[in-house]
Amino acid sequence: MSDIKVVIVTADAREDRATTTGTKAWELFADNADVIAARVSTGSTGESSLKDLSYVLADGDVVEGVEMASKDGHDILRHSTAHVMAQAVQQLFPEAKLGIGPPVTDGFYYDFDVETPFVPEDLAKIETAMRKIIKEGQRFERRVTTDADAIDELQDEPYKIELIGLKGGAGADNTEGASVEVGAGELTIYDNVRRNGDVAWSDLCRGPHLPTTKRIPAFKLMRSAAAYWRGDEKNKMLQRIYGTAWESKEALEEHLHRIEEAERRDHRKLGRELDLFSFPDEIGSGLVVFHPKGGVIKRVMEDYVRQRHIEEGFSYVGTPHITKDQLFYTSGHLPYYADTMFPPMEFEGSNYMIKPMNCPMHNLIYRSRGRSYRELPLRLFEFGSVYRYEKSGVVHGLTRVRGLTQDDSHSYVTPEQAPGEIQHLLDFVLGLLRDFGIDDFYLELSTRDDSKPDKFVGSDEDWAVATKVLEDVAVASGLDLVPDPGGAAFYGPKISVQAKDAIGRTWQMSTIQYDFNQPKGFELEYNGADGQKHQPVMIHSAKFGSLERFFGVLVEHYAGAFPPWLAPVQVQAIPVADTFSDYLYDVAKQMRAAGLRVEVDDSDDRMQKKIRNAQLQKVPFMLIAGGEDVEAGAVSFRYRDGRQDNGVPVAEAIQRVVDAVASREQV
RNA sequence: GCCGGUGUAGCUCAGUAGGUAGAGCGCCUCUCUUGUAAAGAGGAUGUCGCGGGUUCGACUCCUGUCACCGGCUCCA
């Protein structure tokens, strides 16, 4: 037994340690029960990877303990829990074939090919079986194998064999989660071994795993759903079970509590409770009507955005909802999007279509007369109502609808002006989002997929230029930038702003797209300083993206408690008793004269009930008046958090609300 | 579009073995009501999503359809 040297890394220190050959990682962390795996950098390559605690140390290894509550630790815990779930499923449903089972944000899933989809009662049974496996304390034992041996061993698991065939190739990378099963390196199988040495279950897997099933402190199966094998709708649909696992019962409880809280903020629920909007069946799926209170918010949003566009040099224009279909051939959209457009209406010998986007019509405004370089950048903007035939399964509240309003603009610029205009647009967009209090977002750069040339038009050079310009501006913003290869529109790359909703789904909001194709298709031109005709570049930009979606995100962001400038009712006046109503009518009248949205609650509820109602409606200012206030010529404020401010002189009270509205602050 | 689930009063939900439906909140009427999250009494809620079928009889069983929910795929 020769000595080897390793380095143990902790958050704040590095410790050299001499030990004997054959020492396993767990021996280094025997005094820390929270360590469940190790991150090891091998001396030779310096590359770091996660290892089981049973990993045999090599000379020169740099080793860091991975605690369960860390990001890597959560992934390992959840991946191991996914294994336990798969074992339980095959125990209860022996014919179930395994798909893949990776950790995901806050949990894990595993896909199964089963004859009959799982029902909720099945999940309860599976959970029970899992608890039993966990209690047994089965060891996760890593075993290196070869492709040939694995294929032989996994004869009953066709999907796993398919994954082995993809190993290391592009296919594995393209299949979300597949890399946790087969990596680019050696192939391994994990055996779940009972205390008596029997192998209870095995799965092709890259690892690492917890030492034993007993180390799973808390888990819960969340739901079952279906998913296409390898994410391709041409493939068979597998049954997926989602679950979550945490380092403690408390952490699990907190997670479940967070989900509950998020559900309380769901804009669909709040939209009903606050009487903001609805989706009448009679109109059709994905088509919203805004009620008076929602209409106030929508109007304020529109007013503000219109004003800001004008300040930023845009011209407000208007275009119709339908057009002859030739326009979409000219723009190039129809071949790409015919399936997701509402079908044409034929009359007077033409096919008229409901517009799914505004740009072609703006192009016609540009082309309505000759343009000089002196006019550029020419910026056209409107609230364009567009309709898209979104597939039935994707319609979702206000965030995915079939009829939407885009705050859509098109900047026509010389190629030289393009970078500056994109910078201008990104600054504008981000400023606008911040004005609305939205700051939890990141940028995405959608580029073309070179392996699918038929999905994109234009030359490689044009794409390269356009992509570079967008990327430079996005990087300069300093915001998180996530690449989205293949996500570009057919005519050009885009930067988009992605924001999260209450239940963690991310939605595209603002977009900025660089388009060199439509100017070609529409033969757009301008006269340059040289007296020659030149082709402009057009830059598409939507600031909210979809007004409806942004509305939904705002509702969730504020949990319905809007800042005063957006609140449908800014002031709810509440008399202490009926006899003070007249006094409040008068105050309300003065407030309305100052441009405020005020209501007096003159119902025959008692005051306490009126306060409760205003509270539930999340009105920012409750204005209460009783005998003391009337005598003093004052009113009393109550805020949503229960704070009170009594005896405020009427003039001062009005000014206070006016100021809060003007500053767009939250109260 | 695909897989699964769910549609009962304005809202949230109950409804056991097929025998035409209930609760709370809200709503309406009346009485009451002076200080910061629910006064009291009485009353009405409804084509049980919609269409077919089985049955003496369907909210309940079967089937089609529409809508919603959770995923997957898609998203100009």
Side-chain angles (χ1 to χ4, degrees), chain A residues 236-282:
Chain A
K236 182 155 189 190
M237 196 152 246
L238 306 183
Q239 295 303 316
R240 174 173 295 180
I241 301 178
Y242 283 93
T244 188
W246 294 83
E247 66 274 16
S248 65
K249 291 234 167 22
E250 294 71 35
L252 173 63
E253 285 304 318
E254 280 167 29
H255 171 67
L256 298 176
H257 183 68
R258 278 194 295 276
I259 292 175
E260 266 176 45
E261 284 297 309
E263 283 167 356
R264 258 192 270 283
R265 294 212 317 258
D266 192 314
H267 73 276
R268 294 166 297 185
K269 185 177 160 67
L270 287 168
R272 218 178 5 251
E273 289 172 359
L274 303 179
D275 197 13
L276 302 177
F277 55 83
S278 61
F279 296 90
D281 285 358
E282 293 83 345

Side-chain angles (χ1 to χ4, degrees), chain A residues 292-307:
Chain A
K293 284 182 178 165
V296 168
I297 299 168
K298 177 168 173 282
R299 198 198 75 237
V300 173
M301 290 168 67
E302 288 170 348
D303 287 350
Y304 186 67
V305 172
R306 187 185 290 107
Q307 176 205 328

Side-chain angles (χ1 to χ4, degrees), chain A residues 4-19 23-30 35-43 46-67:
Chain A
I4 58 171
K5 286 197 176 100
V6 298
V7 182
I8 302 171
V9 181
T10 54
D12 43 15
R14 291 169 67 92
E15 181 200 338
D16 292 310
R17 175 89 59 95
T19 183
T23 301
K24 295 181 174 179
W26 66 265
E27 297 177 61
L28 302 182
F29 305 105
V35 171
I36 54 160
R39 179 170 281 285
V40 179
S41 308
T42 57
E47 271 179 43
S48 92
S49 59
L50 293 168
K51 301 285 187 192
D52 295 320
L53 283 183
S54 59
Y55 168 74
V56 178
L57 299 167
D59 192 34
D61 279 351
V62 179
V63 189
E64 187 182 357
V66 173
E67 298 196 355

Side-chain angles (χ1 to χ4, degrees), chain A residues 288-365:
Chain A
V288 66
V289 292
F290 286 95
H291 301 187
K293 284 182 178 165
V296 168
I297 299 168
K298 177 168 173 282
R299 198 198 75 237
V300 173
M301 290 168 67
E302 288 170 348
D303 287 350
Y304 186 67
V305 172
R306 187 185 290 107
Q307 176 205 328
R308 288 290 297 122
H309 272 86
I310 291 165
E311 287 167 5
E312 295 292 325
F314 291 83
S315 302
Y316 186 68
V317 299
T319 63
H321 290 153
I322 64 171
T323 170
K324 291 179 195 169
D325 61 358
Q326 180 55 43
L327 189 63
F328 299 125
Y329 284 109
T330 304
S331 71
H333 286 92
L334 203 45
Y336 286 89
Y337 297 111
D339 288 352
T340 49
M341 288 166 73
F342 280 89
M345 296 170 271
E346 197 271 319
F347 62 97
E348 291 178 351
S350 295
N351 280 326
Y352 281 80
M353 305 198 81
I354 307 181
K355 72 173 169 182
M357 86 293 293
N358 306 297
C359 36
M361 297 200 181
H362 287 189
N363 290 342
L364 297 179
I365 296 172

Side-chain angles (χ1 to χ4, degrees), chain A residues 95-115:
Chain A
E95 76 294 348
K97 304 297 179 206
L98 302 173
I100 56 172
V104 292
T105 307
D106 288 341
F108 61 87
Y109 66 80
Y110 213 118
D111 288 344
F112 305 93
D113 184 3
V114 283
E115 280 298 310

Side-chain angles (χ1 to χ4, degrees), chain A residues 1 95 98 120 150 191 201 323 367 376 399 402 508 552 570 595 607:
Chain A
M1 284 224 176
E95 76 294 348
L98 302 173
D191 297 315
W201 189 74
T323 170
R367 210 173 68 176
L376 307 186
T399 45
R402 286 181 173 164
Q508 173 181 293
Q570 293 164 328
M607 180 197 68

Side-chain angles (χ1 to χ4, degrees), chain A residues 322-616:
Chain A
I322 64 171
T323 170
K324 291 179 195 169
D325 61 358
Q326 180 55 43
L327 189 63
F328 299 125
Y329 284 109
T330 304
S331 71
H333 286 92
L334 203 45
Y336 286 89
Y337 297 111
D339 288 352
T340 49
M341 288 166 73
F342 280 89
M345 296 170 271
E346 197 271 319
F347 62 97
E348 291 178 351
S350 295
N351 280 326
Y352 281 80
M353 305 198 81
I354 307 181
K355 72 173 169 182
M357 86 293 293
N358 306 297
C359 36
M361 297 200 181
H362 287 189
N363 290 342
L364 297 179
I365 296 172
Y366 180 95
R367 210 173 68 176
S368 63
R369 64 170 169 79
R371 299 288 174 184
S372 156
Y373 74 94
R374 294 174 191 275
E375 291 181 74
L376 307 186
L378 179 71
R379 304 184 178 102
L380 307 180
F381 150 74
E382 74 168 310
F383 289 111
S385 300
V386 300
Y387 296 86
R388 298 173 177 181
Y389 174 62
E390 300 285 4
K391 288 192 277 184
S392 58
V394 305
V395 171
H396 180 95
L398 286 174
T399 45
R400 193 80 180 265
V401 291
R402 286 181 173 164
L404 58 130
T405 314
Q406 289 183 318
D407 53 342
D408 204 4
S409 78
H410 298 92
S411 301
Y412 299 87
V413 299
T414 68
E416 296 72 37
Q417 289 169 335
E421 182 65 4
I422 288 167
Q423 182 70 60
H424 171 234
L425 284 165
L426 187 62
D427 290 344
F428 176 28
V429 160
L430 297 179
L432 203 52
L433 295 180
R434 292 193 179 107
D435 288 343
F436 279 88
I438 301 286
D439 44 18
D440 183 13
F441 51 72
Y442 61 91
L443 300 183
E444 202 168 83
L445 180 65
S446 301
T447 52
R448 77 177 221 172
D449 180 347
D450 292 334
S451 69
K452 292 179 184 156
D454 56 318
K455 273 192 73 181
F456 305 95
V457 298
S459 71
D460 292 355
E461 298 74 51
D462 283 340
W463 274 89
V465 168
T467 305
K468 178 79 169 66
V469 171
L470 288 175
E471 187 174 7
D472 287 348
V473 175
V475 167
S477 74
L479 289 164
D480 284 343
L481 181 64
V482 176
D484 174 32
F490 72 88
Y491 52 74
K494 75 176 174 207
I495 299 173
S496 60
V497 177
Q498 304 282 328
K500 271 202 183 76
D501 72 5
I503 46 186
R505 288 183 262 219
T506 58
W507 298 97
Q508 173 181 293
M509 303 216 292
S510 323
T511 56
I512 300 173
Q513 294 172 285
Y514 186 115
D515 184 357
F516 42 83
N517 278 302
Q518 285 197 56
K520 228 170 264 169
F522 279 87
E523 299 177 329
L524 302 184
E525 293 177 332
Y526 62 89
N527 289 307
D530 56 4
Q532 302 293 307
K533 302 275 191 195
H534 299 273
Q535 198 155 81
V537 166
M538 64 188 288
I539 300 170
H540 308 239
S541 175
K543 286 85 218 166
F544 288 152
S546 146
L547 190 78
E548 288 74 8
R549 175 178 294 175
F550 192 79
F551 188 113
V553 169
L554 272 185
V555 171
E556 300 196 351
H557 178 73
Y558 288 114
F562 291 99
W565 75 293
L566 289 168
V569 176
Q570 293 164 328
V571 180
Q572 179 68 62
I574 297 172
V576 167
D578 202 31
T579 47
F580 308 111
S581 292
D582 287 342
Y583 179 75
L584 281 176
Y585 289 139
D586 183 58
V587 175
K589 195 174 162 193
Q590 295 179 54
M591 287 187 147
R592 289 196 190 103
L596 299 175
R597 299 185 285 271
V598 193
E599 284 179 10
V600 180
D601 188 345
D602 53 7
S603 69
D604 50 9
D605 287 327
R606 292 162 111 85
M607 180 197 68
Q608 288 81 350
K609 183 63 176 290
K610 293 178 181 183
I611 288 171
R612 175 179 157 84
N613 287 339
Q615 195 85 40
L616 291 174

